[in-house]
Amino acid sequence: MSSSQFAKWVTAAAVFLSSALLALPSAAATKAAPAAAPPSLDNATCQTCHDGKKGKLEAPGADGDKRELHAISADKYGKSVHAKMQCVACHLNITDSVSPHKKSTKPTPDCAQCHQTLWDKAEQTGTAASQPRLETVAKNIAAYKKSFHARPDKDNPKVAKATCTQCHDTHGFNVPADKKSPEYAAWRKEVPALCGQSCHDEQFDAFNASIHGKEAVDKGNAKAPVCISCHTSHEITNTSLTTFKLLNNEECGSCHKDRLSSYRDTYHGQVTKLGYPDTAKCYNCHGSHGILPAKDPKSKVHVDNRLKTCKECHDGKKRALATAGFVTFGPHANSHDFAKYPQLWIATKFMQALLIGVFAFFWLHSGLWYYREWQDRKAGKTVAHVRTAGLPQEDKKFFQRFPVGWRIAHLAFALITMTLVLTGTSALFSHTSWAPVFARALGGASGLALIHRVAAALFIAIFFIHFVYVMQRLLRSKTFRWFGPDSLIPNWKDLSDCWGMFVWFVGKGPKPRFDRWAYYEKFDYWAVFWGVTIIGTSGLMLAFPTVTASFLPGWVFNVATVVHGEEAFLAAVFLFTVHFFNNHFRPDKLPPPDIVMFTGTQSLEEFRNDHPAQYQRLVDAGELDKYLVDGPSQPIALGSKILGLTLIAVGLVLLVLVINGFLSGG
């Protein structure tokens, strides 16, 4: 190497070393300086990417494919209930603002868990009362956990059928509080699409074509029902549950009040109001999602389709097969529209006139009678019916008024009638608080119907046995006179006696002298014939609808329902007021009960007072002794009184229930 080359090499090395030495302090300084802080993770920073203005955002999906991220509108988020929250309050795993994000292992909080924690804290700090919306959310969480949506999905058991975020836009969620506002109407309009397009597409298509869908979606009618109207928002249950079926009727009725009221007047409606889904409900006839107007040929209730609809329940298997008359049955018939339902209007007006006429006459009769006897009793003109002490020995004898067969029939009629009243009015007044209680105790709606029909069959059977027995005896008798004093057939004397009683009531004449049967006793007797004819015939029509509808039009069921219920109401109220008064609560009969129908006998003194004409007739004919017997023994008399008081008590309880049902309305 030459000296000049060596010099150049030394010079270059020196320059390199000096450069390296100069560079060392700078590198050390760089290594020792603190790392720069990452950009802020506030909402404004998040929005620089997630506002959707810079194009589509994508991230790796669970299956390896890319998934599209939400574009969050700052304006929409700013109006939501979560507007004051920071994005990272929920997205806890986001640790930087660089794309793609580095994520921590912190799990994303569950919506329900977060809101429940907030509510628990509010309750602990005593601020719950000032946060009504949070309380609503807490209640919705509890409802959701019990709902059908919270159950595991069949395809993926690790997740629920539906989660909060599938229904709620967490970034823009804000259900308008004012249900009368245009904003609320707009929100409701979106509900069918939310439910239908994401999960329930078939139901969505049917709903859109229905009358409800056209009102809600096409016309924007905020009052028209949407999915949540029937299924609710969070308490969504299996539609096969009894609770859902029954509440669905109530939901329909919230809009169609007149229809619900008329439906409740039918047996279908009475059973559902008792709490049993055994009969047709709104959706059974009208459908659920695809409800169409009755005039639409595709509607389930169109006249051409009604019989087919009825046969869905009355299919010939569980129930007898529906027949032609079912088509003209009016499930919403009412008694105030003569043009549309003339038969029901006439039947209702007739029954109302009958009830008013009977009660007006006999309650006036009872009131005046009570007043007159009470005045006479205060004046000492009459004595209590039980007094026998101090009478001559022959006056201590008792008069045999009713044979044993009549007494057994009377007791059977009393027990059966009370059973019929209880079971019948439980259905008739199904809207009351007490009717469902008795229905449950008697085996539900089916048990109620079975007991009622068995009791009715026994009543009719005993009635016919009595009628045949009496008729064969009378027809074989050579001395019986059909309009004589021993006959129960009304005659002109009864009319005269009735008028005479009103004259006596007002102190303008003497009390009529009754023979074997007073006019009010004849009315009681023949009322059974009227009742069996009216109540029995209408009841048979309703009990065997397929047979009835094979020969008669469907409106007969509407008329039969009114007549059956109104006549039964008349019979029950008359029995427990007028009949009880005549036989147990008149001043001359106090204290109750009068036990003549249980022992068959009454004191001679009482007999002379109640039926003076018969007494005198038997004395004049020398036949009184044939009917005189010893009084009932002490045990028999005591037992009869206990039985009588028990029946009276039961009757009065039933009367209170019936009056309560009548006054409370439907």
Side-chain angles (χ1 to χ4, degrees), residues 650-662:
V650 172
L652 293 178
V653 169
L654 290 173
L655 176 63
V656 171
L657 295 179
V658 169
I659 293 175
N660 170 262
F662 176 77

Side-chain angles (χ1 to χ4, degrees), residues 14-331:
V15 172
F16 174 77
L17 288 172
S18 62
S19 299
L21 290 172
L22 289 171
L24 283 173
S26 177
T30 302
K31 187 175 181 181
S40 174
L41 289 178
D42 60 9
N43 288 357
T45 302
C46 296
Q47 279 292 102
T48 59
C49 292
H50 290 275
D51 60 1
K53 295 179 181 180
K54 296 180 180 180
K56 184 168 64 174
L57 293 177
E58 293 180 331
D63 54 1
D65 296 332
K66 290 185 176 181
R67 62 184 179 87
E68 187 176 350
L69 299 179
H70 295 291
I72 311 302
S73 167
D75 181 62
K76 189 175 181 181
Y77 183 74
K79 295 178 181 178
S80 76
V81 293
H82 295 145
K84 295 181 180 180
M85 292 179 60
Q86 294 297 314
C87 302
V88 291
C90 290
H91 299 280
L92 297 176
N93 58 342
I94 302 299
T95 60
D96 62 21
S97 60
V98 180
S99 178
H101 294 294
K102 291 180 181 180
K103 298 181 180 179
S104 71
T105 57
K106 289 184 179 180
T108 301
D110 177 75
C111 299
Q113 178 185 354
C114 180
H115 287 92
Q116 187 63 53
T117 301
L118 290 173
W119 176 245
D120 292 341
K121 185 178 179 180
E123 287 190 311
Q124 292 170 5
T125 57
T127 60
S130 62
Q131 302 184 64
R133 191 157 190 169
L134 182 58
E135 180 181 10
T136 300
V137 174
K139 290 179 179 179
N140 289 341
I141 292 170
Y144 167 77
K145 289 180 178 179
K146 299 177 183 178
S147 75
F148 190 74
H149 276 169
R151 297 180 183 180
D153 186 73
K154 288 183 179 180
D155 298 329
N156 187 3
K158 293 183 179 180
V159 299
K161 289 181 179 293
T163 59
C164 305
T165 54
Q166 285 178 269
C167 299
H168 298 297
D169 179 356
T170 53
H171 299 99
F173 178 71
N174 190 3
V175 178
D178 184 2
K179 294 186 177 182
K180 296 181 180 180
S181 66
E183 292 78 13
Y184 185 82
W187 174 81
R188 275 178 59 88
K189 187 177 179 179
E190 296 173 359
V191 170
L194 174 64
C195 298
Q197 292 176 354
S198 58
C199 299
H200 308 285
D201 51 349
E202 292 183 10
Q203 291 84 352
F204 179 56
D205 291 340
F207 175 80
N208 274 347
S210 74
I211 188 171
H212 288 160
K214 291 177 181 178
E215 283 289 324
V217 179
D218 298 345
K219 299 180 181 179
N221 183 355
K223 294 183 179 180
V226 292
C227 310
I228 59 174
S229 301
C230 300
H231 296 279
T232 74
S233 301
H234 298 89
E235 300 175 20
I236 297 171
T237 61
N238 193 323
T239 55
S240 63
L241 294 179
T242 296
T243 49
F244 175 83
K245 294 177 180 179
L246 297 178
L247 287 174
N248 221 238
N249 271 10
E250 302 302 315
E251 182 58 37
C252 295
S254 65
C255 291
H256 305 284
K257 293 182 174 61
D258 58 332
R259 296 290 184 174
L260 180 63
S261 177
S262 55
Y263 165 78
R264 289 265 172 79
D265 291 335
T266 68
Y267 183 68
H268 288 160
Q270 291 167 353
V271 170
T272 56
K273 189 59 181 174
L274 285 173
Y276 302 93
D278 304 340
T279 57
K281 296 156 288 297
C282 304
Y283 66 85
N284 290 117
C285 299
H286 295 277
S288 50
H289 299 99
I291 298 173
L292 298 171
K295 294 180 180 179
D296 191 314
K298 296 180 181 179
S299 172
K300 292 185 66 177
V301 293
H302 185 272
V303 66
D304 295 336
N305 303 325
R306 286 178 195 167
L307 188 57
K308 180 181 177 181
T309 300
C310 292
K311 286 182 178 179
E312 291 177 3
C313 293
H314 299 270
D315 55 3
K317 298 175 183 178
K318 291 184 179 180
R319 299 177 180 86
L321 187 65
T323 48
F326 279 56
V327 175
T328 52
F329 167 65

